[in-house]
């Protein structure tokens, strides 16, 4: 089998997506997601200018060799742009393999290890009462696990909480907007949110919370300790993770489980976190972490240390990544949970797919390959528009982590 052509489809059905389509001489094609939120065109250029010319003529079954060629062959290693570009190729090739063998990708990764993937979705509200209603609404829809975020009193906007009248999206058209942050107000507020949720909702629902890299390690330790009575499924990204040792301090103080890694792009970003058992869930997902080939190595390494997967699944990851993550999660042994933030109706129309939700679990479907397609005619009606992630400043104006 030979790769004969490869092209990019850059579109914006409510938000931006970069999609790679790889074709073969047999007429089978595969799709890969290359979306890096707010930096979409950098990955598109990396693919167009540097990668695509090198893959024409290669055998799409050689996922390992092509991965090594793109990773080692570039000399320059890692980084979100490189690893998202490699991921797009890798995922498209797994899609081709599945279609060529007439089997869903999960069968190529070990087969079905569970009946479905436990997923969590997002609840939010301007205050505790609204957040409670939002969690209840998702529980009524069948979710068994819900991430809860609420507006911090005294701050005009808070991470994870939509601006009035809009649904929450982690990127906005145009240049970055600015928001204000106060660690002191947040740390006083967060336990009151989860106290209320537990009192009202009982012990069974899995509650999760995203700190979005905003605390120092000792502040994160205080947060984890203060949330222990409400037994969260996890706190996510409690502090920035460039310094992997930071998490030792958190671990010394709290038994609240910790998840991190949505901004990671290689196993090496979490190597120490995993081998010292400083985290419970690894969030690096397929599109930003070098594709299925590298995610498998990362998950297998994590399994040795009792770390499970909890992959990123916000709307900036296209339905192709969602499908890939569900095939992956269905097959591997140390799957933990999968994030599921609904795409808009228009996005779902541009990317028709076979995955489905039922009673708290998702299944990738049994179509050959990934089971996702792209409607290129509809995609062309929604061209790319510049969008950016916001930035955050402390009350005194100092730039901080968003
Ligand atoms: O692109 C950034 C978003 O995907 C991110 O802010 C969402 O933190 C996020 C999450 O956990 O879904
Ligand atoms: Mg997050």
């Amino acid at each position: 089998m030979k790769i004969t052509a490869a092209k990019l489809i850059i579109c914006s059905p409510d938000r931006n997506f970069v999609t790679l389509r790889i074709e073969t001489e047999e007429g089978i094609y595969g799709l890969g997601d290359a979306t890096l939120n707010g930096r979409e065109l950098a990955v598109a250029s990396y693919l167009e200018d540097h990668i695509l010319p090198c893959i024409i003529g290669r055998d799409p079954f050689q996922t390992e060799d092509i991965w090594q060629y793109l990773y080692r062959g570039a000399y320059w290693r890692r980084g979100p742009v490189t690893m998202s570009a490699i991921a797009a190729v890798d995922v498209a090739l797994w899609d081709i393999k599945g279609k060529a063998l007439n089997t869903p990708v999960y069968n190529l990764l070990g087969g079905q290890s569970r009946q479905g993937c436990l997923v969590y979705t997002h609840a939010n509200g301007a205050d505790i009462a609204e957040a409670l209603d939002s969690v209840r609404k998702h529980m009524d829809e069948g979710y068994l696990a819900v991430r809860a975020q609420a507006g911090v009193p005294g701050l005009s906007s808070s991470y994870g909480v939509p601006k009035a009248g809009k649904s929450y999206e982690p990127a906005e058209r145009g240049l970055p907007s600015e928001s204000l942050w106060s660690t002191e107000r947040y740390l006083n507020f967060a336990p009151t949110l989860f106290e209320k949720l537990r009192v009202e909702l009982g012990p069974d629902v899995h509650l999760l919370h995203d700190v979005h890299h905003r605390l120092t390690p000792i502040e994160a330790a205080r947060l984890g300790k203060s949330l222990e009575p409400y037994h969260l499924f996890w706190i996510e990204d409690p502090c920035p993770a460039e310094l992997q040792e930071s998490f030792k301090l958190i671990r010394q103080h709290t038994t609240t489980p910790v998840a991190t890694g949505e901004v990671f792009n290689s196993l090496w970003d979490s190597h120490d976190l995993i081998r010292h058992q400083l985290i419970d869930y690894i969030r690096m997902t397929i599109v930003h972490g070098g594709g299925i080939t590298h995610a498998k190595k990362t998950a297998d390494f994590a399994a040795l240390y009792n770390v499970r997967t909890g992959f990123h699944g916000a709307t900036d990851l296209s339905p192709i990544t969602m499908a890939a993550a569900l095939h992956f999660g269905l097959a591997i042994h140390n799957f933990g949970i999968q994030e599921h933030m609904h795409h808009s109706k228009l996005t779902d129309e541009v990317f028709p797919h076979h995955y489905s939700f039922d009673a708290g679990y998702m299944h990738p479907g049994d179509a050959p390959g990934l089971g996702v397609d792209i409607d290129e005619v509809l995609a062309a009606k929604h061209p790319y528009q510049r969008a950016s992630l916001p930035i955050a400043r402390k009350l005194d104006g100092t730039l901080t982590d968003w």
Side-chain angles (χ1 to χ4, degrees):
M1 216 175 180
K2 267 202 173 77
I3 298 173
T4 49
K7 71 165 181 183
L8 292 177
I9 303 147
I10 305 175
C11 63
S12 194
D14 291 335
R15 58 164 314 118
N16 292 324
F17 295 108
V18 179
T19 304
L20 173 64
R21 178 184 161 123
I22 297 182
E23 285 167 25
T24 63
E25 58 191 348
E26 284 77 6
I28 294 174
Y29 64 91
L31 298 176
D33 178 20
T35 311
L36 183 62
N37 202 6
R39 295 293 183 270
E40 296 87 356
L41 301 184
V43 185
S45 161
Y46 195 102
L47 279 161
E48 193 84 71
D49 298 327
H50 305 291
I51 286 190
L52 299 189
C54 301
I55 62 170
I56 306 300
R58 293 182 189 278
D59 177 354
F61 269 73
Q62 292 180 347
T63 42
E64 183 65 32
D65 184 66
I66 292 175
W67 195 95
Q68 299 295 344
Y69 182 93
L70 297 176
Y71 181 80
R72 291 173 202 280
Y75 183 61
W76 309 107
R77 296 188 185 195
R78 302 162 60 181
V81 174
T82 301
M83 298 304 273
S84 301
I86 294 177
V89 175
D90 185 72
V91 170
L93 298 185
W94 282 95
D95 191 23
I96 289 171
K97 276 199 222 200
K99 287 174 178 168
L101 298 171
N102 196 28
T103 194
V105 166
Y106 67 73
N107 274 338
L108 308 178
L109 299 172
Q112 191 156 335
S113 293
R114 54 192 53 78
Q115 289 168 8
C117 299
L118 176 70
V119 292
Y120 73 91
T121 195
H122 290 194
N124 48 50
D127 55 25
I128 292 180
E130 272 190 19
L132 175 61
D133 283 351
S134 176
V135 179
R136 275 209 178 102
K137 178 177 148 276
H138 293 307
M139 290 171 68
D140 290 346
E141 290 162 354
Y143 284 95
L144 306 172
V146 184
R147 181 187 103 159
Q149 311 288 140
V152 178
L155 294 181
S156 52
S157 65
S158 301
Y159 168 76
V161 180
K163 293 184 180 153
K166 296 186 182 166
S167 59
Y168 173 71
E169 276 294 344
E172 292 164 355
R173 302 288 194 209
L175 294 173
S177 64
E178 300 202 5
S179 56
L180 282 181
W181 174 248
S182 159
T183 294
E184 296 74 18
R185 290 176 193 178
Y186 168 74
L187 283 178
N188 289 336
F189 169 70
T192 66
L193 167 65
F194 285 95
E195 181 184 20
K196 181 71 175 172
L197 295 181
R198 269 294 167 233
V199 167
E200 296 294 330
L201 302 170
D204 292 336
V205 61
H206 295 307
L207 294 173
L208 299 83
H209 183 63
D210 192 348
V211 187
H212 224 252
H213 327 264
R214 291 174 179 218
L215 301 176
T216 65
I218 198 68
E219 290 163 354
R222 173 180 153 194
L223 175 73
K225 212 168 173 177
S226 69
L227 293 177
E228 276 172 23
Y230 319 117
H231 51 99
L232 268 61
F233 189 94
W234 77 32
I235 51 171
E236 173 186 334
D237 290 333
C239 61
E242 287 95 330
L243 184 64
Q244 296 182 38
E245 291 177 15
S246 300
F247 285 65
K248 275 188 195 157
L249 200 59
I250 303 174
R251 268 294 204 241
Q252 280 161 12
H253 292 282
T254 181
T255 56
T256 297
V258 174
T260 201
E262 69 181 37
V263 301
F264 294 175
N265 45 74
S266 143
L267 168 55
W268 300 106
D269 295 329
S270 55
H271 182 254
D272 293 341
L273 290 169
I274 291 172
R275 76 192 172 98
H276 297 306
Q277 296 180 289
L278 302 178
I279 57 171
D280 302 282
Y281 297 91
I282 177 71
R283 282 181 56 69
M284 181 179 78
T285 193
I286 286 170
V287 56
H288 302 138
I292 290 173
T293 297
H294 193 59
K296 184 72 168 71
K297 288 175 183 162
T298 305
D300 287 346
F301 177 69
L304 302 179
Y305 298 92
N306 296 311
V307 174
R308 288 182 284 166
T309 61
F311 285 178
H312 189 198
T315 44
D316 44 302
L317 316 180
S318 96
I320 299 167
T321 291
M322 191 65 200
L326 291 171
H327 283 275
F328 191 87
L330 199 69
I332 60 162
H333 181 251
N334 59 325
F335 168 80
I337 198 167
Q338 169 65 46
E339 181 176 11
H340 177 226
M341 193 179 169
H342 284 269
H343 287 109
S344 75
K345 191 165 163 287
L346 181 58
T347 298
D348 282 341
E349 279 166 17
V350 168
F351 295 96
H353 51 257
H354 282 81
Y355 57 77
S356 59
F357 171 86
D358 183 36
Y361 295 85
M362 288 181 77
H363 193 283
D366 300 314
L370 292 172
V372 186
D373 214 333
I374 184 164
D375 179 338
E376 292 188 46
V377 175
L378 186 57
K381 291 184 182 152
H382 301 277
Y384 167 82
Q385 293 185 38
R386 190 212 294 264
S388 311
L389 291 168
I391 63 132
R393 292 188 186 276
K394 295 182 185 175
L395 297 182
D396 69 357
T398 308
L399 196 98
T400 187
D401 297 279
W402 171 69

